[in-house]
Amino acid sequence: MSSASGAATAAGTKPKLAIYWAASCGGCEISILGIDTKILDVAAAFELVMCPCIMDGKVRDIEQLEDGAIAVCLFNGSIRNSEQEYMAQLLRRKSKVLVAFGSCAHEGCIPGLANLHDKQAIFENSYQETESTENPQRVRPQTATTVPEGTLHLPVFYDTVRTLDQTVDVDYYLPGCPPESPKIWEAIQAIVAGNLPPKGTVIGSDTTVCDDCKRIRNVKKVKQFKRTWEIIPDPEICLLEQGLLCCGIATRAGCGALCPQVNSPCIGCYGPNNDVHDFGARLMSAVASVIDADNPKDINAIISQGIPDPVGTFYRFGLAGSLLRRSKRPAGSDGGH
Amino acid sequence: MSQTNFEPKIVGFLCNWCSYRAADLAGIARITHAPNVRIVRVMCSGRVDPTFVLKALSLGADGVMIAGCHPGECHYVDQNYKAMRRYHLLKHTLHAMGVEPDRVRLVWASAAEGQQLAEAIDGLVADVKKLGPLGWSQNWEENGERLHALEEIINEHAEAMEVHA
Ligand code: SF4
Ligand code: SF4
Ligand code: FES
């Protein structure tokens, strides 16, 4: 793999770095800043050409670069509208290495949970039904509005949130919501050194959060799942054994088991390990094996009482990137209206 | 597609020791059943990862059958109990995703129950016929405005895209 810093031109300018956000919360940028004073090393190694969260950069300037002129683009956020899809295409074209940075770009994350609904349902809720909305004329955002100076455009809102690699070709993935700062620093160092793994690699370990968790494990047999607010868990014993649906068993290591350390179950933000096609399927499989019942009636009682929101539990971070990607849409809906 | 000539595609995961033999027996005994099931032989119903079912549905199956030995008779001790738990958990999730419960079914059939397995297959095919095609990938189709919007952005920005040497 050639060194990304090889993108420096003969004139000796620094390789270009772009950091972009699409449908995301901004936490990924905060996590990048979390590498602390090492950010100065990043500034020394790269010329930052775009990062809307912290500096002013123009799309037009990116458009005018030669294809492949950006050495590395860290792209966070999922794709939920046409503007984001355009930026994904543009940055793919202009970047040598495109990294799906963080859970949203990697597997859809929280924005992807909107795939339980479609555009029409989301607009109806946001612009009509919420308590704080008063909209008797049923005004909705328009994608084109003509004013004396010309036509103004808003992006087209999609029915289905997509991951970055469902949209453009991706070189690497950095998991986590957000990726932990030390892991970001490791990845940046690898990029600077040109020490990159094969294309398509999820940069991280291939063990699970359980492997990093110090809690005592005995026998996992659960007769009743509990929500976090229902109990104060014992600080030493495995949370799953105590009935809290801890996702550590199916989640890629990388955070150092942060949540179980503070008595809170892992909710799966680092996503699946290598070779797992569907995080939810993996987690369901693991959770099913701890259910302590052997007939359909008791099994279903435990499930329906303890796991009222299965999609939010098994696919909290991975719905858009899952095998089914979204819920079934009502017959005849095309969202086009 | 009109509902009347809709022939559902069903993927059946049958365990090697009981259900697959039941299917064999049905064949040898010339017991007829609906030809809609594509059978995948697995060593045990406990081998059926929820991933298999999700993959089948996402790739175009209209229904899925998982079949194993009767509880207590699994050749790997209690793996079919594991299959039972997984199945109910998966169904709970599929329901929340809008997949009708009748599309995915777990049945028990011993090696002697060719007739029962054939009836279970007919039953599943009939139920899925009533529901109609699943056509999962159609759920991913984007609203018609998407391509047009992308074209517009590209046109609008085309001038800027010209690289000045
Ligand atoms: S299930 Fe959770 S609490 Fe238990 S060992 Fe794994 S990470 Fe720790
Ligand atoms: S414990 Fe789980 S949810 Fe918490 S930071 Fe780690 S991977 Fe994310
Ligand atoms: S061998 Fe038939 S279900 Fe396990």
Side-chain angles (χ1 to χ4, degrees):
Chain A
M1 194 79 207
S2 72
S3 160
S5 40
T9 64
T13 53
K14 290 186 279 184
K16 294 182 170 52
L17 171 70
I19 300 170
Y20 193 71
W21 55 7
S24 63
C25 71
C28 280
E29 277 84 357
I30 304 304
S31 204
I32 294 173
L33 295 177
I35 64 176
D36 238 348
T37 51
K38 298 191 192 83
I39 196 80
L40 298 175
D41 298 341
V42 175
F46 292 99
E47 177 199 350
L48 187 57
V49 290
M50 175 166 247
C51 182
C53 180
I54 55 172
M55 63 175 253
D56 189 19
K58 298 282 180 248
V59 175
R60 303 259 146 155
D61 295 336
I62 302 297
E63 286 167 339
Q64 290 192 352
L65 295 171
E66 308 256 0
D67 289 357
I70 299 171
V72 187
C73 173
L74 306 178
F75 192 108
N76 68 73
S78 46
I79 308 298
R80 97 106 57 248
N81 68 36
S82 54
E83 182 245 0
Q84 290 157 354
E85 181 164 7
Y86 173 77
M87 287 306 292
Q89 287 174 357
L90 178 68
L91 287 163
R92 166 68 282 180
R93 190 166 144 193
K94 302 294 178 188
S95 309
K96 272 209 176 59
V97 175
L98 179 68
V99 182
F101 187 97
S103 177
C104 290
H106 178 205
E107 29 162 22
C109 199
I110 305 299
L113 283 174
N115 287 357
L116 286 170
H117 310 275
D118 59 11
K119 173 186 165 182
Q120 192 172 12
I122 293 167
F123 274 26
E124 188 64 19
N125 183 270
S126 302
Y127 298 110
Q128 211 67 48
E129 290 164 356
T130 39
E131 294 290 339
S132 55
T133 303
E134 211 169 289
N135 184 3
Q137 268 135 34
R138 304 188 58 80
V139 176
R140 294 286 182 276
Q142 299 301 310
T143 51
T145 307
T146 312
V147 291
E149 293 80 5
T151 307
L152 301 172
H153 291 285
L154 278 183
V156 167
F157 191 94
Y158 293 168
D159 283 312
T160 303
V161 169
R162 276 181 288 143
T163 64
L164 188 60
D165 76 359
Q166 288 166 356
T167 310
V168 294
D169 191 41
V170 167
D171 297 306
Y172 300 104
Y173 304 83
L174 208 61
C177 175
E180 287 302 316
S181 302
K183 295 282 160 196
I184 299 175
W185 179 236
E186 277 173 32
I188 290 175
Q189 279 178 308
I191 292 168
V192 171
N195 184 17
L196 285 164
K199 185 177 157 139
T201 301
V202 178
I203 301 175
S205 38
D206 198 22
T207 52
T208 64
V209 173
C210 285
D211 294 319
D212 286 350
C213 176
K214 302 271 180 310
R215 285 175 180 262
I216 300 161
R217 273 150 269 194
N218 301 303
V219 195
K220 293 186 178 48
K221 277 193 170 304
V222 178
K223 279 222 180 309
Q224 193 188 0
F225 288 106
K226 306 201 183 69
R227 319 294 298 277
T228 38
W229 48 267
E230 289 178 301
I231 57 164
I232 296 175
D234 180 289
E236 310 285 339
I237 296 171
C238 166
L239 295 164
L240 187 58
E241 282 171 27
Q242 301 182 60
L244 291 172
L245 209 154
C246 184
C247 305
I249 37 180
T251 306
R252 183 187 291 270
C255 66
L258 281 178
C259 298
Q261 262 179 50
V262 293
N263 234 5
S264 195
C266 170
I267 52 176
C269 82
Y270 256 70
N273 285 97
N274 296 343
D275 303 324
V276 173
H277 297 282
D278 191 287
F279 177 83
R282 177 80 200 86
L283 185 57
M284 277 188 267
S285 211
V287 167
S289 57
V290 309
I291 294 175
D292 189 14
D294 55 14
N295 64 78
K297 186 169 156 283
D298 293 347
I299 294 170
N300 278 317
I302 294 173
I303 293 171
S304 54
Q305 185 271 332
I307 311 174
D309 174 15
V311 180
T313 305
F314 300 122
Y315 291 101
R316 189 185 311 229
F317 296 93
L319 182 58
S322 72
L323 285 167
L324 294 185
R325 299 190 192 184
R326 58 160 303 124
S327 66
K328 189 174 177 182
R329 284 166 55 190
S333 82
D334 74 338
H337 22 273
Chain B
M1 190 186 301
S2 98
Q3 210 99 326
T4 41
N5 48 31
F6 159 57
E7 287 299 338
K9 286 194 276 299
I10 312 277
V11 177
F13 297 103
L14 271 53
C15 96
N16 182 53
W17 301 103
C18 291
S19 331
Y20 191 80
R21 291 179 186 201
D24 243 4
L25 178 67
I28 294 164
R30 298 180 183 278
I31 300 167
T32 54
H33 60 76
N36 306 59
V37 184
R38 277 74 163 165
I39 292 175
V40 179
R41 177 162 56 157
V42 289
M43 286 311 280
C44 174
S45 63
R47 175 67 185 91
V48 181
D49 190 289
T51 308
F52 300 179
V53 179
L54 295 169
K55 198 160 187 183
L57 297 175
S58 72
L59 291 177
D62 300 295
V64 173
M65 172 177 277
I66 304 164
C69 314
H70 283 276
E73 286 168 22
C74 171
H75 289 234
Y76 304 94
V77 190
D78 54 3
Q79 293 305 302
N80 53 359
Y81 283 102
K82 195 182 255 177
M84 190 199 289
R85 294 181 197 111
R86 275 188 195 148
Y87 164 75
H88 288 289
L89 194 51
L90 176 63
K91 289 267 282 199
H92 184 52
T93 304
L94 285 176
H95 180 68
M97 301 276 281
V99 178
E100 300 89 344
D102 271 346
R103 291 189 189 272
V104 181
R105 192 162 294 170
L106 174 66
V107 304
W108 309 126
S110 77
E113 293 176 331
Q115 182 67 40
Q116 285 85 338
L117 184 71
E119 282 166 17
I121 291 174
D122 285 346
L124 178 59
V125 171
D127 287 343
V128 173
K129 268 193 181 167
K130 261 183 244 149
L131 289 169
L134 182 63
W136 194 265
S137 62
Q138 285 163 26
N139 288 307
W140 306 334
E141 276 166 25
E142 206 41 70
N143 59 61
E145 296 170 276
R146 169 175 163 253
L147 286 178
H148 180 66
L150 281 171
E151 247 168 54
E152 275 202 345
I153 303 179
I154 290 167
N155 289 341
E156 212 179 298
H157 292 220
E159 207 180 314
M161 286 284 254
E162 280 164 27
V163 177
H164 306 293

